[in-house]
Amino acid sequence: MRCVVRTYESQMRELENDLEQMAENQMLGDETRRVAREIYKVWRRIQED
């Protein structure tokens, strides 16, 4: 079970990093960056709760 939890936590950190990078990536379109920022903000709120 610990392995499952560690894997989950690792994947969630990776997701968070990917969203943050997408939100800042100037090569992506404005809409894509905006959506990535929104998802990132929601993700942060979920983690805080």
Side-chain angles (χ1 to χ4, degrees):
M1 185 66 159
R2 288 181 198 167
C3 180
V4 171
V5 172
R6 287 186 194 130
T7 300
Y8 170 79
E9 289 174 340
S10 173
Q11 289 175 342
M12 293 304 104
R13 282 191 299 273
E14 187 175 331
L15 171 64
E16 183 177 350
N17 290 334
D18 289 347
L19 287 169
E20 190 173 20
Q21 288 176 3
M22 286 177 68
E24 297 172 2
N25 187 339
Q26 295 300 316
M27 294 181 71
L28 298 175
D30 292 339
E31 179 72 9
T32 302
R33 286 195 318 269
R34 183 185 65 74
V35 170
R37 277 192 299 273
E38 288 179 21
I39 295 169
Y40 178 77
K41 288 176 186 176
V42 169
W43 177 245
R44 295 297 294 171
R45 282 195 302 255
I46 290 169
Q47 287 181 314
E48 290 172 1
D49 289 342

